[in-house]
Amino acid sequence: MRPNKDAVLSALEEFDQIGRPAFMEKYGFADRNITYEVEHDGRSYPSKAIFGSAFGFMPGDVARNSETCNGTEAREHLEHLGFDILSKDPAGSHKRQLTLFSTNGQAFQPTRTFNRATKKSAYRLQRPGTTNKTSDAEEVDKIIDVARAMLIDGRLARVKATDGTGPANYVGYGKRTLVRYELDPAIAAELGIPAQSGILETVDLDRSVLERLRQLFEVKYPDFKAFDDSGGYLAAEDQSKRVLLDRASAIMREKHAESDEVLGAMLLDLVAGKSGVPSSLLDWRIAKLVTDIRREEPGEIEQAAGRLARGDNPIDAISAFASDTWHMLSTRTPARPFAESRTIPTMIRALVDGQRVLGIRSTPTDNASKMLLGKGAFGQQPLTEDEMRHVITLAEEIARIMREEWGWNPRDLWDVQGFIWETCQKRISENADEPADTAMRDHTIMPTNLILYGPPGTGKTYATAEEAVRLCGETVVRDDREALMSSYRSLHQKGRIAFVTFHQNFSYEDFVEGLRPVTAAQDEGASGSVGFSLQPQDGVFKLIAELAASNHGRAAGGDAPVIDRNRKIFKMSLGRSWASEDDVIYQDAIRDGYVVLGWGGEVDWSDPRYDAWDAIKERWRQDFPDASGNDPNMSQMYAFRINMQIGSLIVISDGNRKFRAVGEITGPYQFVPGTNGEYNHRRSVRWLWHGDESLPRELIYDKELSQVSAYQMNSRHVNWDGLEQIVASGGATATFGTPEPFVLIIDEINRANISKVFGELITLLEPDKRIGQENALTVRLPYSKQEFGVPANLHIIGTMNTADRSIALLDTALRRRFEFRELMPDASLLGTVDGIDLAALLATVNERIEYLFDREHQIGHAYFIRCETRDEVDEVMRNKVIPLLAEYFYEDWAKVAAVLGDGDDGEGDREGRFIDRRRLKAPKGLGGDEDAAPRYRWSVRDTFSYGGFASA
């Protein structure tokens, strides 16, 4: 007779009393042989040992040991008695034999219920077409029967949350509540189903947002009818993908008998555009990363790709690839390669399994999830199974709506991917009334030319910062000055906001470009000349315009790069940038991912003995005994071979004042003989950025670059924020969507000679004349002879103090090209300080100024906005307001007194609230002139009185 429940409970009690080691030794069981455990009161016990020992608690029976006890019988009998059985997973922890998960991740397990009629505990299954009554239930003892009923037959079973919350209920798998399961591998193998799987949860999309995305798509492709009749969309987005899909299908057929490595290599070539079929599925950075991995770890990522393509379950296969390749990705990127972990496996799998998998580009996919589901698709982590399920669920629902409601006939999830790519590069406005064509135009930045004008102290500086941050696409929290200025400073440090103040001597040469003297020591192409020459040098406007023009937006799916600021950073030359015959050196290095050094002769410095400076010096002096310690063949080789380490950053110079590439050293020194015995020394590089046009070194380094071919830069002078911004901005081959906005702030724009400063560029400021707009124009600059245009992603904000010059006196050409926003004093922003009604004080002063002078010379509220005590109010009046009034009225103190309420029609002395008047006595010899006007000495009082000011 098998042990009853009381005997098992007695065995469990003894286990708790004497402990696991003593119990296992007493009854002859070894822990290493325990695969299953029985659960009781939240604790787990070795099921076979408990079962065997329980025999000893039965009348007239003896305990069984490991040799005389059957594990399967033990599990089945303990289950029959109502105990839950846990199985050991590969990590060594024990799990329930069947756990089911809801859409919010809560875990459930089948639960045994005691039947009073039969006196037995069993799992209960609902018979098809019956009610939840006990008499209608089918009772089973084994968990395998529950798993078969729920996971294969689709029947309902009685389950309960594993944390004990809530009642037990009949629930079905895949019936909206339970969407994922984990099953004991042995049971799964017996049933012929995966040990882990999931049903895509149903989702409710924001249909109003989806409709606006549909409108955006149709605005962009007005001749689109359906995916099988797609008009312009076919050539723009779809045709190239269909060629790739056909080729992937052929590879899977032709290479089905080949190894994973062979199959994976062909698919990697295909997705990266190296198979002869053009592909843009991976951006150039990711494609280059894959190439580096394949070169440095041959066969590894190829095998993973082959397994990925052949895996039965696409989510499991993608997850396995992400796990297998994470170390390859993370050791070769400066930032955590979360986006790469999503894009590479999903694009490969989608090429061979487009019906079930969506190829992911992180930014548009995440935007689609946020807009349509109200939550992002991804966390700061490698791609997870849950994230993949979430994305596929979203794509499947969009495909269903396209098919059933729109009549678009999507052929596979690639059609959904194309839709997301075209409409979700950025999130659309929350304004539901915004027309689709307006939202579509938002994908192309429309430039802003704005001048904020008004009297002094009206908050123009703060408003300018707020407007600049907003134009840069950052969130502006009103009334949080600290947060605003923090964002402003960050954008300024990155080079996306530039600031300049105009003055009477400011010129075109300061603003656009001008000739500046350059000594021979500073000029790379001087060829040994002495003295100096005049060279074109960029002004502030040209600097930010070229930086904005070089920006292509952040890489889709790319997380903002975080550069380790503790790493060494080097300046390097790649050939002589001023010599056209050396351009091939730079182009080859960019294309093939390396840097080369011309110094060091034809010596192979690979031998480890050259890891020391003395060894380099000794070897070079074998050939050149008279070489000094400053010989660049030694010093440059030391910097290039030893000081420059794997992971070091390099900046490729273009002359002494510009740079044209940024990279990261990824390999050790190599000797690779070059053409004509030159440039024989090489280091492999991962290029982080390179541009068609070089950028000013001031953007990343506040010292002039030296002519030395390779040297370590002073990290204290590196603008790390600016460097990260440039690395993130795309570079020459980037096509990542909308360029990031840049802002130029021109303070006191009315104080300079506008025609002189802007010159011929005044025309290029017009929005429709910007680069990329319908009437785009460029001009040839007078000094550099370069063609120059103003990019559309450069906004210009000017400020103008109307007390200095009326808007009516501004250059007419400037007035036509800018919009003007007036900022006037707002007394309502002021309160009462120590009994002084500041609002009334300011309003009264300004009313009197407007009467005596004009409205453009009023006093701004900003003068008083930070006053918290009477002493502070007094200080503002004494040191700011009264001197300003004296300036306005050209030292006519009678008018100053009138504004301050201290005016008086009499001719005698007068003590006022703010200023005193004392009549001056005429000097002898003039006293008889009775017609002479009286003269006064005016003085500012030591103490002020504000009582009755408004009525004075």
Side-chain angles (χ1 to χ4, degrees):
M1 177 181 291
R2 293 176 178 174
N4 58 27
K5 191 166 187 177
D6 288 338
V8 172
L9 291 174
S10 297
L12 294 172
E13 184 178 359
E14 183 184 23
F15 185 101
D16 290 337
Q17 288 174 349
I18 67 175
R20 188 181 189 104
F23 185 92
M24 300 295 281
E25 183 179 358
K26 175 180 178 179
Y27 291 105
F29 291 87
D31 252 341
R32 65 179 180 274
N33 298 326
I34 300 300
T35 304
Y36 295 90
E37 303 233 343
V38 59
E39 186 181 50
H40 177 63
D41 286 344
R43 299 184 61 187
S44 59
Y45 304 81
S47 58
K48 186 177 178 181
I50 293 296
F51 177 74
S53 63
F55 280 96
F57 293 95
M58 295 290 291
D61 208 340
V62 294
R64 315 281 173 86
N65 60 25
S66 179
E67 299 295 329
T68 58
C69 185
N70 182 277
T72 301
E73 180 187 20
R75 292 196 306 276
E76 291 178 349
H77 183 65
L78 291 172
E79 280 187 315
H80 175 75
L81 293 176
F83 294 98
D84 290 318
I85 301 297
L86 309 179
S87 60
K88 183 182 292 185
D89 65 13
S93 60
H94 285 85
K95 294 184 177 181
R96 295 176 177 84
Q97 290 179 288
L98 174 60
T99 306
L100 304 112
F101 300 88
S102 67
T103 54
N104 63 5
Q106 187 175 17
F108 291 80
Q109 64 177 348
T111 182
R112 288 179 174 273
T113 304
F114 182 76
N115 188 325
R116 292 186 178 87
T118 62
K119 307 298 184 184
K120 289 172 51 179
S121 292
Y123 300 110
R124 288 185 179 178
L125 307 175
Q126 189 181 66
R127 289 190 172 92
T130 63
T131 68
N132 292 345
K133 292 181 179 180
T134 301
S135 58
D136 291 335
E138 177 185 355
E139 296 187 341
V140 296
D141 288 329
K142 299 179 180 179
I143 200 71
I144 188 173
D145 295 324
V146 181
R148 180 184 293 108
M150 296 189 74
L151 305 180
I152 298 177
D153 300 335
R155 295 174 61 184
L156 276 62
R158 195 170 175 83
V159 302
K160 184 178 176 65
T162 58
D163 61 7
T165 60
N169 288 308
Y170 282 102
V171 182
Y173 175 67
K175 310 293 185 182
R176 296 187 68 91
T177 299
L178 302 179
V179 296
R180 184 165 63 89
Y181 72 84
E182 293 178 357
L183 182 62
D184 179 273
I187 296 175
E190 187 172 346
L191 294 177
I193 61 175
Q196 299 182 34
S197 189
I199 299 293
L200 299 178
E201 73 265 28
T202 59
V203 292
D204 294 321
L205 305 185
D206 187 325
R207 298 303 291 270
S208 63
V209 172
L210 184 60
E211 181 59 29
R212 293 178 65 204
L213 294 178
R214 174 187 176 180
Q215 293 172 12
L216 286 177
F217 188 88
E218 291 175 338
V219 166
K220 191 167 187 178
Y221 299 105
D223 57 352
F224 178 90
K225 296 178 181 177
F227 286 109
D228 50 8
D229 185 11
S230 58
Y233 175 76
L234 176 67
E237 182 68 19
D238 187 56
Q239 192 171 29
S240 61
K241 292 177 181 175
R242 296 296 147 185
V243 174
L244 291 169
L245 289 171
D246 290 343
R247 181 62 188 134
S249 179
I251 290 172
M252 294 298 289
R253 290 194 307 271
E254 296 165 3
K255 303 299 177 183
H256 71 278
E258 298 283 356
S259 66
D260 288 338
E261 182 175 345
V262 171
L263 175 64
M266 297 195 70
L267 291 175
L268 286 168
D269 286 343
L270 182 65
V271 76
K274 297 182 178 297
S275 66
V277 180
S279 170
S280 59
L281 299 183
L282 305 182
D283 67 54
W284 73 269
R285 289 182 181 84
I286 298 180
K288 179 66 168 57
L289 177 60
V290 171
T291 299
D292 291 345
I293 293 172
R294 296 179 68 181
R295 182 180 64 251
E296 296 166 14
E297 298 186 44
E300 294 297 321
I301 196 170
E302 290 88 345
Q303 292 181 37
R307 294 191 296 268
L308 167 66
R310 287 176 166 144
D312 293 331
N313 185 303
I315 294 178
D316 289 345
I318 291 169
S319 176
F321 180 94
S323 175
D324 293 343
T325 60
W326 177 250
H327 72 283
M328 306 180 204
L329 301 174
S330 59
T331 56
R332 291 174 172 85
T333 54
R336 304 285 279 173
F338 301 140
E340 290 86 344
S341 77
R342 303 163 195 148
T343 299
I344 297 172
T346 59
M347 289 296 181
I348 294 173
R349 181 68 191 213
L351 282 177
V352 301
D353 196 4
Q355 296 292 338
R356 295 193 292 173
V357 174
L358 181 85
I360 292 175
R361 295 293 285 268
S362 293
T363 294
T365 307
D366 198 55
N367 285 341
S369 179
K370 289 176 179 176
M371 289 188 289
L372 295 171
L373 295 174
K375 61 180 180 179
F378 311 113
Q380 291 296 308
Q381 59 194 9
L383 182 65
T384 67
E385 292 183 13
D386 286 342
E387 289 173 345
M388 194 67 230
R389 290 189 188 93
H390 174 85
V391 168
I392 294 177
T393 302
L394 171 64
E396 291 277 14
E397 182 64 8
I398 294 174
R400 183 193 68 78
I401 294 171
M402 288 177 170
R403 181 173 53 252
E404 297 178 6
E405 300 181 23
W406 296 355
W408 281 16
N409 304 326
R411 296 152 294 182
D412 48 35
L413 294 187
W414 280 107
D415 288 335
V416 178
Q417 197 266 356
F419 174 78
I420 290 174
W421 176 259
E422 293 292 341
T423 61
C424 299
Q425 291 294 336
K426 71 175 189 175
R427 279 177 274 169
I428 60 177
S429 167
E430 296 180 359
N431 179 8
D433 297 327
E434 181 184 57
D437 59 344
T438 299
M440 194 71 233
R441 286 196 300 272
D442 283 347
H443 285 258
T444 300
I445 293 177
M446 292 303 294
T448 295
N449 295 332
L450 172 67
I451 289 179
L452 303 175
Y453 71 97
T458 52
K460 293 186 293 297
T461 300
Y462 182 81
T464 299
E466 183 179 52
E467 188 71 17
V469 171
R470 185 188 66 79
L471 287 172
C472 283
E474 301 293 322
T475 301
V476 175
V477 180
R478 301 194 69 85
D479 302 326
D480 190 344
R481 186 183 183 90
E482 184 177 348
L484 171 68
M485 296 312 297
S486 176
S487 296
Y488 176 89
R489 286 188 291 270
S490 174
L491 291 165
H492 182 268
Q493 189 72 11
K494 292 176 180 178
R496 289 183 56 195
I497 295 178
F499 183 93
V500 63
T501 300
F502 278 7
H503 50 80
Q504 289 87 342
N505 293 325
F506 204 79
S507 66
Y508 178 92
E509 287 74 16
D510 300 311
F511 192 58
V512 183
E513 68 170 14
L515 296 177
R516 295 287 184 270
V518 177
T519 65
Q522 296 173 308
D523 188 359
E524 272 199 341
S527 301
S529 63
V530 295
F532 68 88
S533 61
L534 295 176
Q535 299 289 339
Q537 184 166 321
D538 297 338
V540 61
F541 180 68
K542 188 182 177 189
L543 286 173
I544 193 170
E546 290 187 343
L547 184 58
S550 71
N551 186 282
H552 298 273
R554 292 186 183 273
D559 301 289
V562 178
I563 293 177
D564 183 354
R565 304 183 182 197
N566 293 317
R567 284 193 285 180
K568 295 180 179 179
I569 181 168
F570 291 80
K571 174 265 181 185
M572 269 207 74
S573 303
L574 275 180
R576 296 159 295 182
S577 61
W578 48 270
S580 58
E581 64 269 21
D582 279 4
D583 189 57
V584 67
I585 297 172
Y586 172 75
Q587 297 298 339
D588 288 349
I590 292 296
R591 184 189 65 240
D592 295 332
Y594 63 80
V595 288
V596 290
L597 182 69
W599 299 105
E602 298 183 48
V603 178
D604 182 354
W605 302 95
S606 301
D607 195 293
R609 69 176 183 271
Y610 298 126
D611 287 348
W613 160 251
D614 288 341
I616 292 176
K617 183 170 62 174
E618 179 183 353
R619 173 63 185 85
W620 187 254
R621 285 180 173 171
Q622 290 178 13
D623 298 337
F624 302 93
D626 297 331
S628 70
N630 293 326
D631 189 320
N633 288 288
M634 296 186 290
S635 60
Q636 294 292 281
M637 182 52 60
Y638 176 82
F640 186 75
R641 188 195 181 286
I642 300 174
N643 198 24
M644 191 179 291
Q645 301 167 347
I646 293 176
S648 294
L649 300 173
I650 53 169
V651 174
I652 305 303
S653 62
D654 183 4
N656 294 333
R657 294 183 297 278
K658 291 191 174 184
F659 66 99
R660 50 182 173 171
V662 178
E664 176 190 20
I665 298 295
T666 58
Y669 165 87
Q670 296 175 293
F671 179 74
V672 181
T675 306
N676 301 323
E678 295 184 315
Y679 297 100
N680 303 312
H681 313 289
R682 182 177 297 193
R683 301 287 296 264
S684 60
V685 168
R686 184 172 69 89
W687 294 113
L688 305 176
W689 174 90
H690 60 94
D692 288 330
E693 298 292 336
S694 300
L695 295 178
R697 58 89 186 157
E698 292 91 343
L699 297 173
I700 64 170
Y701 199 54
D702 64 13
K703 297 183 67 178
E704 193 160 274
L705 300 176
S706 165
Q707 292 185 60
V708 178
S709 295
Y711 68 90
Q712 185 173 350
M713 301 164 68
N714 189 331
S715 61
R716 291 179 300 170
H717 294 278
V718 175
N719 178 0
W720 293 101
D721 290 336
L723 184 61
E724 287 182 353
Q725 170 68 34
I726 288 167
V727 168
S729 68
T733 59
T735 54
F736 303 130
T738 304
E740 293 177 292
F742 288 71
V743 177
L744 173 62
I745 298 173
I746 305 174
D747 197 27
E748 306 285 3
I749 194 171
N750 56 321
R751 296 187 64 216
N753 185 327
I754 297 300
S755 297
K756 177 182 176 183
V757 171
F758 279 92
E760 72 276 26
L761 302 187
I762 194 73
T763 301
L764 306 187
L765 297 181
E766 297 181 36
D768 68 319
K769 305 297 192 301
R770 302 290 190 97
I771 296 172
Q773 303 303 311
E774 55 184 351
N775 299 317
L777 293 177
T778 61
V779 299
R780 184 175 294 276
L781 297 176
Y783 299 114
S784 64
K785 307 303 179 185
Q786 294 177 346
E787 285 293 322
F788 177 77
V790 181
N793 60 323
L794 175 59
H795 305 288
I796 301 175
I797 304 175
T799 67
M800 175 176 163
N801 188 340
T802 55
D804 292 336
R805 181 188 294 183
S806 169
I807 188 174
L809 301 177
L810 271 183
D811 185 281
T812 304
L814 185 73
R815 291 173 62 189
R816 282 197 302 108
R817 290 170 171 85
F818 279 77
E819 63 175 281
F820 290 79
R821 184 184 303 167
E822 185 179 55
L823 296 178
M824 295 301 287
D826 186 356
S828 66
L829 297 176
L830 304 177
T832 300
V833 174
D834 289 347
I836 305 170
D837 187 343
L838 293 180
L841 173 67
L842 182 66
T844 303
V845 166
N846 283 333
E847 183 177 341
R848 293 168 179 171
I849 291 174
E850 189 170 357
Y851 179 86
L852 293 169
F853 201 159
D854 59 34
R855 67 189 301 272
E856 294 181 340
H857 286 74
Q858 296 181 56
I859 303 294
H861 53 269
Y863 284 106
F864 296 97
I865 199 77
R866 296 187 180 278
C867 292
E868 296 180 354
T869 66
R870 181 189 182 96
D871 287 343
E872 290 176 346
V873 176
D874 287 349
E875 184 178 354
V876 168
M877 291 295 295
R878 185 183 312 280
N879 299 328
K880 296 182 179 180
V881 174
I882 294 176
L884 188 60
L885 292 174
E887 179 184 336
Y888 281 175
F889 295 110
Y890 304 100
E891 300 295 324
D892 186 343
W893 283 88
K895 290 184 177 179
V896 174
V899 171
L900 296 174
D902 289 340
D904 182 23
D905 294 331
E907 297 183 354
D909 295 348
R910 186 179 191 280
E911 291 187 0
R913 294 177 177 81
F914 300 96
I915 57 178
D916 292 337
R917 183 185 72 186
R918 185 171 69 83
R919 182 167 178 166
L920 296 174
K921 191 176 194 180
K924 290 182 178 182
L926 297 178
D929 188 357
E930 296 180 357
D931 295 330
R935 294 177 179 272
Y936 302 97
R937 171 180 295 161
W938 300 88
S939 60
V940 179
R941 292 177 58 84
D942 292 334
T943 58
F944 296 154
S945 172
Y946 298 90
F949 171 82
S951 60

